[in-house]
Amino acid sequence: MRKDDLYITVPSFFRCPISLDVMKSPVSLCTGVTYDRASIQRWLDGGNNTCPATMQILQNKDFIPNRTLQRLIEIWSDSVRRRASVESAELAAPTRDEIADAIDRVKVEKEERFDREVLAKILRFARESDDNRGFLAGKDDFVRLLVDLMSQIDFKTTSAAKLLIVQEAVKILSMIQSKISDRRRFSNLVLNNGRDRLTTIVYFYKTGNVELKIDCAGLLEFIAVDSESKVSIAERDCLVVELMKSISRDSDSSLIEATLSCLIAISSPRRVKLNLIREKLIKDLTKLLTDPTTASVSVTEKCLKLLESLASTKEGRSEICGGDGECLKTVVMKLMKVSTAATEHAVTVLWSVSYLFKEEKALEAVTSTNGVTKILLLLQSNCSPAVRRMLTDLLKVFKVNSRSCLSAYDTKTTHIMPF
């Protein structure tokens, strides 16, 4: 049986052997087998003179009410209804007044009132709507209370119950972060208030389940507001190594996307870029781009955006063009195949390594993958002025006369699909 989201296991002896439903009026035949009165009556009215369960011939067709069984069924049914009522009440989203009252009590009594039940209630409230999330984010003292929960945790001695409470706080902060108006102030609250809250987020990213990892990645992305915060995040407790583990082909697709977004957010400082390159991020990005099970539109866009960022360093360009040029060949393959954003990132990578810094291996890789033809086709598409300028620069590197080649392609191509 199922009632909404409540699954109920029915004792087998409560079921009628004929209808298999819970008996409303259990009666026993002379054979000792009990049936629901309505079901056995239909059986006998059909001209049958045997017991359906045993197939014995009935000496008589009298019914004996099974009062004991009926009482047990009634007791069991009442308990199921009560449990369903309690669970429905627990699952129902609390009202704004109830949440405001809970927060006020927490402010007065501080951490003693912060148990999982209160935070779970607030989390259900936040999940209901944007308005609810905005309401919570607008209560600055509440946000500060949640952040303070992440302070001064000794992961060797803190109880499991306390860690679960802090996890709930992290989930709530992740859910309402987009409604926090002053992002820099929130970042300073986490990073620069004399208490080590960042270590708590990193710890939960390392040890949590997929859902908690995604929440932590989102928070890390949100507090990465400037170079100082980005370096602080990237260099904390071997976080980069953990982030790299989460973008393997065996990871959850949502976790891969959240982790890539986090890497993009922290990757702009040169120190961070060099760290990511040393950890072989470019090799991992290439694997993601070439694996059909992971290369969704969003993942492809994020991978190419990261490659664009890493291509701004000499070390990054060397890795992108290194080996047999697999990474750069993969970038060329993504031209015009995914989305406008992916194409723009791919063109920028090609422009950086081929035109801006004139890497010889880049020229070979682009030529071997029919890249010049794709560049010409892109010039005929509805690309942005910035992309058009980069494409024109690339044609100069390959010593192609764009006007004459475009004229030749125009005569051969009747229609170019937009990318």
Side-chain angles (χ1 to χ4, degrees), residues 267-322:
S267 66
S268 56
R270 177 176 171 80
R271 278 172 59 179
V272 178
K273 289 177 185 175
L274 294 179
N275 188 13
L276 295 175
I277 293 166
R278 282 194 296 270
E279 294 295 336
K280 305 299 181 183
L281 176 59
I282 291 174
K283 182 179 179 180
D284 288 346
L285 294 176
T286 304
K287 289 181 180 178
L288 282 178
L289 287 170
T290 54
D291 189 341
T293 64
T294 58
S296 65
V297 171
S298 179
V299 167
T300 299
E301 290 175 352
K302 288 177 169 62
C303 287
L304 291 171
K305 187 171 184 177
L306 271 170
L307 288 175
E308 177 185 333
S309 176
L310 300 177
S312 65
T313 67
K314 179 180 178 182
E315 293 82 358
R317 294 190 296 274
S318 177
E319 286 292 320
I320 290 172
C321 301

Side-chain angles (χ1 to χ4, degrees), residues 51-301:
C51 173
T54 65
M55 296 311 293
Q56 295 178 20
I57 296 175
L58 298 173
Q59 300 301 318
N60 62 72
K61 297 183 180 181
D62 296 335
F63 298 155
I64 302 174
N66 192 329
R67 306 292 186 190
T68 302
L69 182 57
Q70 184 166 15
R71 183 58 183 154
L72 289 173
I73 291 174
E74 288 172 354
I75 294 172
W76 173 81
S77 298
D78 287 344
S79 69
V80 167
R81 280 192 290 270
R82 285 196 298 272
R83 183 157 62 94
S85 178
V86 170
E87 294 195 11
S88 296
E90 290 177 348
L91 292 173
T95 65
R96 184 169 294 194
D97 288 342
E98 290 174 331
I99 292 299
D101 180 62
I103 292 174
D104 287 341
R105 283 187 279 113
V106 168
K107 286 190 294 183
V108 172
E109 302 178 39
K110 299 299 181 183
E111 204 170 295
E112 288 75 9
R113 291 295 304 178
F114 254 136
D115 56 34
R116 285 195 75 193
E117 184 178 346
V118 172
L119 290 175
K121 191 174 186 179
I122 295 173
L123 189 59
R124 290 199 304 274
F125 175 79
R127 284 174 175 155
E128 279 295 301
S129 68
D130 270 349
D131 287 343
N132 288 359
R133 290 187 281 275
F135 171 76
L136 292 172
K139 298 182 77 65
D140 184 65
D141 46 358
F142 173 64
V143 172
R144 181 179 290 274
L145 282 170
L146 292 179
V147 173
D148 284 344
L149 276 175
M150 296 189 290
S151 305
Q152 299 176 332
I153 294 179
D154 185 337
F155 298 106
K156 294 182 179 179
T157 60
T158 300
S159 68
K162 175 63 181 296
L163 288 177
L164 289 173
I165 290 172
V166 180
Q167 284 185 22
E168 294 295 302
V170 168
K171 291 177 183 178
I172 295 171
L173 286 171
S174 173
M175 184 163 291
I176 68 175
Q177 67 183 24
S178 63
K179 298 297 181 179
I180 296 176
S181 57
D182 194 337
R183 183 178 173 185
R184 184 175 293 275
R185 185 164 176 265
F186 178 75
S187 177
N188 290 336
L189 185 63
V190 175
L191 298 174
N192 305 316
N193 202 34
R195 297 180 179 182
D196 194 4
R197 282 94 174 222
L198 179 58
T199 294
T200 301
I201 301 175
V202 174
Y203 173 82
F204 284 141
Y205 184 89
K206 291 180 177 180
T207 61
N209 57 22
V210 169
E211 181 183 351
L212 186 58
K213 284 177 181 286
I214 292 172
D215 289 335
C216 291
L219 277 178
L220 292 171
E221 178 185 356
F222 189 72
I223 63 178
V225 295
D226 53 27
S227 294
E228 184 179 356
S229 60
K230 293 175 183 183
V231 171
S232 179
I233 293 168
E235 296 183 352
R236 181 63 60 94
D237 302 328
C238 301
L239 174 63
V240 166
V241 174
E242 292 299 322
L243 292 171
M244 302 278 284
K245 292 178 182 177
S246 294
I247 60 172
S248 69
R249 61 173 296 173
D250 297 324
S251 296
D252 177 85
S253 58
S254 297
L255 177 58
I256 292 174
E257 289 193 37
T259 302
L260 289 172
S261 294
C262 181
L263 287 168
I264 290 169
I266 66 175
S267 66
S268 56
R270 177 176 171 80
R271 278 172 59 179
V272 178
K273 289 177 185 175
L274 294 179
N275 188 13
L276 295 175
I277 293 166
R278 282 194 296 270
E279 294 295 336
K280 305 299 181 183
L281 176 59
I282 291 174
K283 182 179 179 180
D284 288 346
L285 294 176
T286 304
K287 289 181 180 178
L288 282 178
L289 287 170
T290 54
D291 189 341
T293 64
T294 58
S296 65
V297 171
S298 179
V299 167
T300 299
E301 290 175 352

